[in-house]
Amino acid sequence: MTTPVITAVATRQGTRSHNADAATVYRLPGTPMVAAAIVDGIGNTADVVTFARTAAEVAARVGARRGPLLGILAAAEMATAPPGVQVEDGVAVAAVASADSSTTAIAWTGDSRIYGWTGSRLVQRSTDQTMGTWLRAWGGTAVTLHPSHGPDTTVPTEDAARVLDDLARAALARCSIATVPICYISDPMVILTSDGAHGQIPPAVLETLVRDHAHAPQTLADAIVTAAQPDTDGYRDDATAIVIALPPRT
């Protein structure tokens, strides 16, 4: 008998009125396939919450059947609109694993993340699709900022990147088959997080949590969202984590 994939989900509302994160785990009936998705809604209204929950469900259900890339693109169809029309939007990560395989397929758009636990270290397997990440790769040594109030300011690229780390380059409404990366990883444990989790937990603390709780997926997911701390202004984002533990390789 095949050992099933074990999954765990945890989420915690931040300091705003709604939890605009959504997480879905879907097991395709009659198969060993398991898909998981997080959608971090942009904004904090009741409509954004509904969008995120539905988009996460679509990404997981389609992902289980067609893979994580098509799962995210199916969810993205919910955010399409004519030019100039504003609709609800969000960023997304998706992963599809099988109890029959040691490989997990992953895809993402925006700045939610996918990590792999190798058994000895935590590795970030996705790359944030933000303007901050883009500047670090292509911005040279200095960047001139054009603030809406005040004079232009030229600052080191890293300073500008930190300002723009929260600006998604490819949210669901602006993603396409050309912008959604898909990768295949062989880590025995895969962790999906919204930016309210990994963005408000120091990397060393996150790795320590995974190391300490790798044997207990639900405990780990709960510990990740609990560890997210408010910033210096007291703001804490919604935090969500999905843990996927694959069966031991044979």
Side-chain angles (χ1 to χ4, degrees):
M1 181 178 180
T2 302
T3 303
V5 174
I6 297 172
T7 62
V9 181
T11 189
R12 185 177 71 159
Q13 184 175 335
T15 52
R16 293 184 293 179
S17 301
H18 303 278
N19 185 349
D21 283 357
T24 297
V25 172
Y26 178 70
R27 296 177 183 270
L28 187 59
T31 78
M33 305 299 295
V34 178
I38 290 177
V39 173
D40 182 350
I42 296 175
N44 198 257
T45 66
D47 287 343
V48 170
V49 171
T50 299
F51 168 84
R53 290 175 178 172
T54 308
E57 186 82 15
V58 169
R61 285 179 173 266
V62 174
R65 292 167 168 81
R66 304 293 301 276
L69 170 60
L70 294 184
I72 285 180
L73 293 178
E77 289 299 311
M78 295 175 50
T80 58
V85 176
Q86 181 65 41
V87 297
E88 284 69 41
D89 200 359
V91 299
V93 289
V96 180
S98 170
D100 290 343
S101 171
S102 60
T103 300
T104 301
I106 61 174
W108 66 94
T109 189
D111 59 354
S112 292
R113 286 183 183 172
I114 303 165
Y115 293 89
W117 174 247
T118 68
S120 60
R121 65 191 183 100
L122 189 66
V123 182
Q124 184 180 331
R125 297 301 190 187
S126 60
T127 302
D128 295 347
Q129 291 182 324
T130 66
M131 282 305 302
T133 302
W134 186 90
L135 275 179
R136 290 183 181 94
W138 304 104
T141 59
V143 174
T144 299
L145 300 177
H146 306 280
S148 56
H149 302 287
D152 292 355
T153 305
T154 300
V155 299
T157 297
E158 180 56 32
D159 291 351
R162 283 196 295 269
V163 173
L164 297 174
D165 271 336
D166 290 332
L167 182 61
R169 291 185 63 234
L172 286 168
R174 300 186 299 279
C175 75
S176 70
I177 196 169
T179 67
V180 179
I182 183 168
C183 301
Y184 299 88
I185 60 177
S186 57
D187 304 296
M189 177 174 284
V190 178
I191 302 161
L192 284 61
T193 57
S194 67
D195 69 337
H198 61 256
Q200 296 189 289
I201 303 174
V205 173
L206 181 58
E207 180 157 356
T208 297
L209 290 174
V210 178
R211 189 183 308 278
D212 290 346
H213 303 298
H215 62 287
Q218 188 61 60
T219 301
L220 173 57
D222 292 335
I224 290 173
V225 301
T226 300
Q229 298 299 310
D231 61 20
T232 55
D233 296 324
Y235 170 73
R236 181 168 50 79
D237 199 359
D238 306 322
T240 301
I242 299 178
V243 178
I244 303 170
L246 279 72
R249 300 180 188 180
T250 56

